[in-house]
């Protein structure tokens, strides 16, 4: 049974990924930073259904906490076969209003965290000559979003990290792929009005917005053996909003 670590998995896309991978037979590790109660509730629900699940706290924007988290997983559970870099934050601001702290925090949580987690996960993956790294970017990382310059920059960085790391690790049996979600119904979009949602649906060729489960299905594909000849790719799960 393979081990899968999902960062930022106490809610939203991360929680849906944890459920999907658990249902597919993976041992899932739910990373959280602040939402301990939600993480534990999700883990208990999975265990009540007969799946393996555990929680692990770490602020993945802190390299020391990431080292501790991976050491804990290695000592207790052998290592991480599947890494899903999902943790992230969003913020809407005019570019001229973005502060130094806004910029640093956005890149730290949305980009540096993936670097730290990949760095800790890779030694085990290289030793066993197998690994799956799945990074969650955004369609704004592909095309840029107005009033989300720092978010777009961080998510574009995730795409660059994915492509370069895939080139480097392919001979070690490790694939590195990226999912670029479109508008997904999560806490991050809860501030949108019904008018906003309607407008976004009208802009989307499918006429809908996505769900966390849509992203989770794509993660499961990249985690599976069915994707073994696919690496360095960016899969847009966006209803055709960006093509």
């Amino acid at each position: 049974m393979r081990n899968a670590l999902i960062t930022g998995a106490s809610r939203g896309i991360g929680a849906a990924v944890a459920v999907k991978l658990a249902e597919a037979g993976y041992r899932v590790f739910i990373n959280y930073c602040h939402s301990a109660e939600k993480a534990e509730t999700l883990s208990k629900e999975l265990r009540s259904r007969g799946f393996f699940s555990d929680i692990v706290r770490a602020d993945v924007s802190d390299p020391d906490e990431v080292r501790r988290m991976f050491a804990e997983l290695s000592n207790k559970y052998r290592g991480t076969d599947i890494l899903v870099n999902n943790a992230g934050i969003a913020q809407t601001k005019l570019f001229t209003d973005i502060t130094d702290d806004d910029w640093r925090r956005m890149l730290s949580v949305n980009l540096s965290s993936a670097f730290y987690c990949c760095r800790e996960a890779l030694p085990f993956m290289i030793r066993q000559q197998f690994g799956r790294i799945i990074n969650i970017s955004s369609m704004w990382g592909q095309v840029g979003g107005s009033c989300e310059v720092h978010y777009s920059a961080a998510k574009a960085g995730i795409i660059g990290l994915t492509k370069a790391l895939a080139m480097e690790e392919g001979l070690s049996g490790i694939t590195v792929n990226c999912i670029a979600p479109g508008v997904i119904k999560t806490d991050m979009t809860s501030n949108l009005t019904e008018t906003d949602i309607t407008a976004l649906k009208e802009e989307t060729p499918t006429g809908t917005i996505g769900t966390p489960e849509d992203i989770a299905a794509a993660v499961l594909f990249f985690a599976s053996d069915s994707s073994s000849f696919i690496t360095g790719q960016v899969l847009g799960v966006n209803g055709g909003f960006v093509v």
Side-chain angles (χ1 to χ4, degrees):
M1 184 181 293
R2 289 171 177 166
N3 297 336
L5 169 66
I6 308 103
T7 67
S10 63
R11 58 184 181 173
I13 289 173
V17 170
V19 171
K20 182 69 74 174
L21 292 182
E23 290 175 341
Y26 295 87
R27 301 203 300 180
V28 299
F29 299 90
I30 298 166
N31 161 257
Y32 71 97
C33 184
H34 303 295
S35 304
E37 185 176 346
K38 289 182 178 180
E40 184 55 48
T41 297
L42 174 60
S43 187
K44 284 181 178 178
E45 288 176 358
L46 291 175
R47 293 197 298 269
S48 73
R49 296 174 59 192
F51 304 129
F52 180 97
S53 175
D54 201 355
I55 64 173
V56 55
R57 188 204 170 279
D59 177 353
V60 290
S61 70
D62 182 329
D64 292 331
E65 292 202 23
V66 170
R67 289 188 192 97
R68 176 195 53 75
M69 174 175 67
F70 275 87
E72 178 182 332
L73 291 176
S74 179
N75 291 335
K76 292 174 64 177
Y77 299 110
R78 183 178 59 86
T80 302
D81 303 294
I82 315 294
L83 170 63
V84 183
N85 286 308
N86 166 76
I89 58 173
Q91 185 183 48
T92 302
K93 267 192 174 184
L94 289 170
F95 178 73
T96 50
D97 291 337
I98 296 172
T99 67
D100 291 348
D101 285 342
D102 290 335
W103 177 262
R104 281 191 292 264
R105 176 156 173 74
M106 186 64 69
L107 266 66
S108 180
V109 175
N110 286 12
L111 178 57
S112 295
S113 63
F115 166 72
Y116 299 145
C117 288
C118 289
R119 183 172 62 182
E120 297 304 316
L122 276 170
F124 172 76
M125 292 180 177
I126 291 170
R127 284 197 302 273
Q128 69 171 1
Q129 291 288 287
F130 174 87
R132 297 280 188 270
I133 296 174
I134 303 123
N135 297 318
I136 308 299
S137 178
S138 166
M139 65 179 177
W140 301 134
Q142 296 175 290
V143 298
S146 175
C147 297
E148 293 186 273
V149 171
H150 51 342
Y151 179 81
S152 300
K155 290 302 188 178
I158 287 289
I159 292 173
L161 184 153
T162 297
K163 290 177 176 292
L165 193 58
M167 296 289 289
E168 189 168 326
E169 300 300 337
L171 290 177
S172 295
I174 300 163
T175 63
V176 189
N177 288 291
C178 182
I179 296 167
V183 182
I184 306 296
K185 190 174 182 180
T186 66
D187 289 348
M188 282 190 180
T189 57
S190 62
N191 63 324
L192 298 176
T193 66
E194 284 301 318
T195 302
D196 293 332
I197 294 295
T198 299
L200 287 167
K201 287 180 178 179
E202 289 175 351
E203 288 185 66
T204 305
T206 59
T208 60
I209 62 172
T211 67
E213 288 70 28
D214 292 322
I215 309 304
V219 171
L220 176 59
F221 170 68
F222 279 137
S224 73
D225 290 338
S226 298
S227 67
S228 60
F229 195 53
I230 301 173
T231 194
Q233 303 305 303
V234 181
L235 176 62
V237 184
N238 58 42
F241 197 104
V242 171
V243 294

